[in-house]
């Protein structure tokens, strides 16, 4: 598929990319951002529960506990050292005045009542965590803090491939029995909360650093028509920029779209069904079951995100069928919990792009303009040489050339130094090893939700009995 577009007025667009319209130019078969395949991480902020709490959970829900047993590096290290170009953040509203997530029950169980409230969680604002009170540890505690980390790295590496930030807005309750201090009750996600996510993004990223639905839609009647007829921005135009997508595929997504036909004025793309006006990005988590569908959508022009592994299963068994299918499907964003192998699990499983660079040519949608050098780091700047006089008399001084310190070369994200078996990029995927069902991005028991009724009822009851905590110690 060879689509292309040019900016409406080079000078105008260079100054106002955030509001620019785009249109096609059939004479320029550009290398587009959807012609590339990159790695992402699932729940990119996640740190597994403390061992003390995890052991309690394992006593009552061993399979559930396994799904929590992974941790990620800080976002800066993922982007800069592991070559990650897609991250995922789970967001809870916390408007104040009383903080909802600053004193998790699990923190008191594992570390004692004096460990709460957690510094950085008391101020109002959107918080980043997986499941309140149980699986809440994060490398960046608030949405703004996470976004600033991404923005800082992006500004220092302006040649980077476009980064997709997937955001899941969460509000699932956690049910606990009578007599146990109640879990935090999330604020329901509605129009105001969704707008606050957009506002947080715009507070960190200037329009020129974003790729939004308005940028892509241009003058077309719908976003989907623009994607299918005109295509995505060229890779050169997209470098150094960030795009956002809402992970939710339910009423939350519908609330985000409401009043914004084809996502007009919105920051985030949505995972929407093909055939709807706002369809441009699609989340399909199972690359084995949806292999043919993913290939078809990629070939048509949609951006697709899938998961190379889920619930720690592949990392424990060493199974690679799901990973291989993800690569071969052509999905542009391949999400994993293991950009590096976990030595504790012994299987050596990880997901690394063949070639060890931050991206590769899409196996389903590649074009001639994509070559082995497309993902090479930019060349280092040529040192500037200026003449400086020697400390002799003016009559006899001769200029001596000295090199000034050049600006440092923009670092390029590289693949993990781990050397697991490389994922194959082509071929028909084999049948995967049996694994727990996982239809969403949450834990296996509830899909993309956050409620843990059985863990909450049994585990926390036991946990607080062991810790000797009372309801009066709940902050």
């Amino acid at each position: 598929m060879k689509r292309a577009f040019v900016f409406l007025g080079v000078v105008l667009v260079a100054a106002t990319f955030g509001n620019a319209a785009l249109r096609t130019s059939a004479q320029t078969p550009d290398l587009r951002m959807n012609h590339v395949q990159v790695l992402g991480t699932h729940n990119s902020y996640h740190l597994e529960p403390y061992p003390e709490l995890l052991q309690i959970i394992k006593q009552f829900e061993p399979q559930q506990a396994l799904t929590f047993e992974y941790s990620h590096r800080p976002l800066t290290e993922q982007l800069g050292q592991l070559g990650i170009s897609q991250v995922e953040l789970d967001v809870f509203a916390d408007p104040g005045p009383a903080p909802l997530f600053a004193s998790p029950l699990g923190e008191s169980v594992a570390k004692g009542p004096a460990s709460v409230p957690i510094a950085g969680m008391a101020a109002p604002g959107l918080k980043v965590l997986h499941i309140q009170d149980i699986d809440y540890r994060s490398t960046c505690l608030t949405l703004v803090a996470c976004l600033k980390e991404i923005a800082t790295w992006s500004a220092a590496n302006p040649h980077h491939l476009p980064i997709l930030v997937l955001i899941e807005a969460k509000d699932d309750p956690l049910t606990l029995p009578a007599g146990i201090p109640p879990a935090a009750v999330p604020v329901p996600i509605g129009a105001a909360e969704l707008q606050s996510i957009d506002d947080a993004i715009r507070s960190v990223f200037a329009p020129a650093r974003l790729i939004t639905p308005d940028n892509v839609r241009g003058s077309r009647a719908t976003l989907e028509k623009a994607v299918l007829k005109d295509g995505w921005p060229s890779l050169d135009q997209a470098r150094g920029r960030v795009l956002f997508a809402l992970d939710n595929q339910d009423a939350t997504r519908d609330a985000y779209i409401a009043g914004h036909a084809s996502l007009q004025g919105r920051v985030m793309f949505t995972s929407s069904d093909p055939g709807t006006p706002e369809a441009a990005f699609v989340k399909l988590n199972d690359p084995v079951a949806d292999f043919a569908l993913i290939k078809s959508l990629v070939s048509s022009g949609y951006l697709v995100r899938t998961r190379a592994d889920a619930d720690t299963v592949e990392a424990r068994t060493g199974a690679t069928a799901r990973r291989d299918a993800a690569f071969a499907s052509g999905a542009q964003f391949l999400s994993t919990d293991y950009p590096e192998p976990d030595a504790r699990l012994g299987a050596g499983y990880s997901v690394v792009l063949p070639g060890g660079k931050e991206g590769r040519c899409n196996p389903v949608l590649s074009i001639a303009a994509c070559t082995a050098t497309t993902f090479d780091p930019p060349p280092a700047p040529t040192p500037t040489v200026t003449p400086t006089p020697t400390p002799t008399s003016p009559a006899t001084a001769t200029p001596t050339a000295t090199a000034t310190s050049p600006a440092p070369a923009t670092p390029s994200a590289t693949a993990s130094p781990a050397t697991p078996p490389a994922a194959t990029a082509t071929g028909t995927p084999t049948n995967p090893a049996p694994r727990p069902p996982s239809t969403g991005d949450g834990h296996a028991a509830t899909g993309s939700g956050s409620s843990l009724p059985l863990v909450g009822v049994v585990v926390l009851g036991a946990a607080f009995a062991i810790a000797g905590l009372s309801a009066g110690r709940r902050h």
Side-chain angles (χ1 to χ4, degrees):
M1 181 182 62
K2 298 183 179 179
R3 302 192 180 99
F5 66 93
V6 294
F7 287 116
L8 287 180
V10 175
V11 175
L12 174 63
V13 173
T16 60
F17 182 86
N19 297 312
L22 304 174
R23 65 181 180 185
T24 59
S25 173
Q27 287 73 40
T28 55
D30 294 336
L31 175 61
R32 305 303 186 85
M33 55 182 284
N34 59 314
H35 293 152
V36 171
Q37 190 175 65
V38 299
L39 289 186
T41 50
H42 162 254
N43 290 348
S44 309
Y45 57 88
H46 187 265
L47 294 173
E48 68 181 56
Y50 292 117
E52 301 90 338
L53 180 58
L54 196 58
Q55 287 304 314
I56 294 172
I57 299 174
K58 283 182 176 179
Q59 294 176 27
F60 299 94
E61 282 286 333
Q63 291 302 119
Q64 189 78 83
L66 295 179
T67 69
F68 301 156
E69 212 167 9
Y70 66 96
S71 293
H72 287 298
R73 293 186 186 218
L75 296 178
T76 297
E77 294 183 17
Q78 292 184 49
L79 297 170
Q81 297 181 35
L82 303 182
I84 297 302
S85 295
Q86 179 256 302
V87 299
E88 178 185 346
L89 306 173
D90 291 342
V91 173
F92 288 78
D94 188 12
L100 293 176
F101 307 106
S103 301
L105 300 179
E107 188 79 6
S108 295
V109 170
K111 299 299 179 182
S115 64
V116 295
I118 297 174
M121 292 289 276
L126 296 158
K127 302 303 191 298
V128 174
L129 62 144
H130 188 214
I131 300 169
Q132 67 272 31
D133 291 298
I134 296 292
D135 192 20
Y136 53 86
R137 297 183 65 214
S138 175
T139 62
C140 49
L141 302 178
T142 69
L143 178 59
V144 168
C146 296
L147 297 182
K148 285 183 176 179
E149 191 171 348
I150 296 169
T152 299
W153 184 88
S154 173
N157 297 270
H159 191 70
H160 69 75
L161 295 179
I163 297 169
L164 170 65
V165 180
L166 196 60
I167 291 184
E168 181 176 0
K170 306 183 82 166
D171 60 6
D172 294 312
L174 180 64
T175 304
L176 299 177
I180 300 299
V185 180
V187 173
I189 298 295
E193 290 70 32
L194 292 168
Q195 183 60 51
S196 72
I197 296 174
D198 273 11
D199 293 343
I201 295 170
R202 292 192 189 279
S203 75
V204 175
F205 291 94
R209 299 183 64 189
L210 292 171
I211 299 173
T212 67
D214 286 343
N215 299 147
V216 177
R217 187 179 55 257
S219 61
R220 292 286 185 179
T222 71
L223 179 59
E224 183 181 51
K225 184 170 290 187
V227 166
L228 300 183
K229 298 293 186 182
D230 302 339
W232 291 88
S234 74
L235 189 60
D236 284 345
Q237 292 168 342
R239 283 186 181 276
R241 294 186 164 90
V242 181
L243 65 157
F244 289 79
L246 185 67
D247 181 272
N248 304 69
Q249 295 173 301
D250 51 14
T252 299
R253 175 195 61 191
D254 298 339
Y256 187 76
I257 297 170
H260 297 268
S262 284
L263 298 174
Q264 293 184 30
R266 285 303 199 186
V267 177
M268 296 186 284
F269 295 86
T270 56
S271 180
S272 296
D273 296 334
T276 56
E278 67 280 356
F281 165 80
V282 182
K283 181 188 76 171
L284 290 168
N285 283 334
D286 190 337
V288 175
D290 293 322
F291 183 77
L293 177 58
I294 293 173
K295 288 188 69 174
S296 175
L297 292 175
V298 169
S299 297
S300 296
Y302 299 94
L303 286 179
V304 179
R305 178 265 197 179
T306 194
R307 292 183 65 178
D309 44 71
D311 301 325
T312 76
V313 172
E314 287 76 13
R316 298 177 190 278
T317 64
T320 62
R322 180 170 180 150
R323 181 186 72 183
D324 296 345
F327 273 106
S329 73
Q332 288 89 354
F333 301 99
L334 310 182
S335 179
T336 179
D337 287 321
Y338 299 95
E340 302 174 286
D342 188 333
R344 302 173 303 172
L345 303 182
Y349 173 88
S350 68
V351 182
V352 179
L353 280 177
K357 298 180 181 180
E358 64 174 340
R360 70 164 186 161
C361 302
N362 193 298
V364 170
L365 200 64
S366 183
I367 64 172
C370 189
T371 69
T373 63
T374 297
F375 308 102
D376 288 344
T382 303
T384 301
V385 179
T386 57
T388 57
T390 59
T392 58
S393 65
T396 60
T398 56
T400 301
T402 59
T404 62
S405 298
T410 302
S412 174
T414 60
S416 163
T419 56
T424 56
T426 60
T428 303
T430 56
N431 292 328
R435 60 183 177 81
S438 178
T439 57
D441 283 352
H443 52 81
T446 59
S448 61
S450 297
S451 60
L452 286 174
L454 186 54
V455 170
V457 171
V458 180
V459 175
L460 278 182
F464 273 82
I466 293 171
L469 301 177
S470 67
R473 293 183 181 179
R474 170 74 166 144
H475 290 265

